[in-house]
Amino acid sequence: MKSTKLYGLRRRVWRVRRSFPRIARPLSRVVSAGPPSDPVFVIGCPRSGTSILLDALRAGGELSLVQSEGHILWDEFHHPRDRGWDSDALRAPDVTDRERGYVHLAVRLFARGGRFVDKTPANCLRVDYLAELFPGATFVFLRRRSADNVSSLMEAWRARPRFVRYQLPEPLNGLGELSGDRWSLVLVPGWRDLREAPLEEICARQYVACNNAVLEDRAALAGSSWVDVRYETLVAEPVDELRRVYDVLGLAFTEHAEQFARVLVENRSRTTLTSPRAEKWRDRNAGAVARVASQLAETERLLGYTAERPTT
């Protein structure tokens, strides 16, 4: 009971502190704003490294956020509770004129004049929706090997309440001490089918759903702009890789950006749980990852990785 009360208090404080951009909702009835020029969306499965990639892109000084993650923008008109607790997924037809006015004005007011950038992992399920809201957007898609990514997802679920996103209307019963009505990270379509599933299966579904949705929307959006980044290349060759990404985005690779890149692996983003280390999943979740390897293989192949079946 005590932990539940603390969780509720924490969420209320968080909501108040993060609610300021909502001032754009009533203002947008009388003040109009067009879409920002050349916005950038960093997308990737949760725990794929999107936070450190965002920090690296912002080190050049040209990109501005509304908030560290844009839930205040995307949830204002589309919280899952208002849609039968379906999922975080959104499509282009979900965009309304009222919502368009709010989002564009909020970006104009709170991105403080810089080129708008956003990193919200649930946006893997919303690329089509974002392309409708932001014509001319560029999507920076970060992909990561499944074993490392799924293991990191599992660690994030265990780090409660840090990554909890929702209090579900129906409990999860297969998670041992984590069982209950809390859901962490992206709420994927078909989550109710996972109510009795162990943690590794939920995390595998998150990896598959997020990456497959990006690949499907990308194929359907002719003319959209994309920059592909592999996590493994980013951490192995950070200066060269970030210089390439900066160049494609039309950003100046400043001295500060290069300095950040040179110590990229040493920089800990606000979402980092433990220091990065190659093959860390083998020490922490090897058996669990091996049990879901067959569920991950096809998605990993579509992402361009060669087969490497995890074993215990």
Side-chain angles (χ1 to χ4, degrees), residues 94-107:
D94 293 318
V95 177
T96 66
D97 290 340
R98 184 77 187 86
E99 172 187 12
R100 198 186 304 269
Y102 160 69
V103 171
H104 290 171
L105 184 59
V107 170

Side-chain angles (χ1 to χ4, degrees), residues 18-25 66-67 72-73 102 106 110:
R18 306 280 284 178
S19 66
F20 294 116
R22 287 198 176 98
I23 193 175
R25 183 163 181 167
V66 170
Q67 289 183 350
I72 195 72
L73 300 176
Y102 160 69
F110 292 94

Side-chain angles (χ1 to χ4, degrees), residues 230-308:
R230 286 196 187 204
Y231 174 84
E232 295 78 14
T233 305
L234 179 65
V235 297
E237 306 167 13
V239 175
D240 290 344
E241 185 67 355
L242 285 167
R243 182 181 285 114
R244 177 186 71 85
V245 176
Y246 267 70
D247 183 61
V248 176
L249 293 175
L251 301 171
F253 194 57
T254 63
E255 181 179 352
H256 186 264
E258 183 170 348
Q259 290 174 347
F260 188 97
R262 290 190 183 283
V263 292
L264 182 77
V265 177
E266 299 170 25
N267 286 317
R268 292 170 65 97
S269 75
R270 64 181 185 80
T271 62
T272 300
L273 291 173
T274 57
S275 299
R277 177 166 46 85
E279 301 287 282
K280 184 167 56 176
W281 66 271
R282 294 186 184 277
D283 298 332
R284 306 182 73 87
N285 297 297
V289 170
R291 286 192 291 274
V292 295
S294 62
Q295 301 174 36
L296 303 168
E298 178 60 14
T299 296
E300 193 169 53
R301 184 191 68 79
L302 292 172
L303 292 174
Y305 290 101
T306 56
E308 182 179 301

Side-chain angles (χ1 to χ4, degrees), residues 42-167:
V42 176
I43 56 174
C45 180
R47 314 306 297 166
S48 64
T50 52
S51 291
I52 195 63
L53 176 56
L54 175 68
D55 291 345
L57 293 180
R58 295 191 66 223
E62 296 183 57
L63 300 179
S64 296
L65 298 163
V66 170
Q67 289 183 350
S68 56
E69 292 186 357
H71 303 297
I72 195 72
L73 300 176
W74 327 124
D75 289 357
E76 183 69 6
F77 285 79
H78 300 289
H79 194 285
R81 67 170 170 264
D82 301 324
R83 297 180 289 113
W85 286 101
D86 178 51
S87 72
D88 280 327
L90 294 171
R91 307 297 300 167
D94 293 318
V95 177
T96 66
D97 290 340
R98 184 77 187 86
E99 172 187 12
R100 198 186 304 269
Y102 160 69
V103 171
H104 290 171
L105 184 59
V107 170
R108 295 285 187 180
L109 291 175
F110 292 94
R112 298 178 298 282
R115 184 176 172 187
F116 176 52
V117 65
D118 179 79
K119 187 279 300 183
T120 305
N123 282 346
C124 285
L125 306 179
R126 302 167 179 159
V127 172
D128 177 62
Y129 160 88
L130 292 172
E132 173 66 22
L133 264 177
F134 297 92
T138 297
F139 298 95
V140 181
F141 178 31
L142 181 62
R143 57 192 75 193
R144 187 179 186 184
R145 274 202 173 275
S146 61
D148 298 290
N149 205 153
V150 169
S151 179
S152 188
L153 285 165
M154 294 177 67
E155 294 301 306
W157 272 78
R158 293 172 181 140
R160 285 187 178 174
R162 189 168 173 185
F163 297 99
V164 170
R165 279 282 289 137
Y166 299 119
Q167 185 172 350

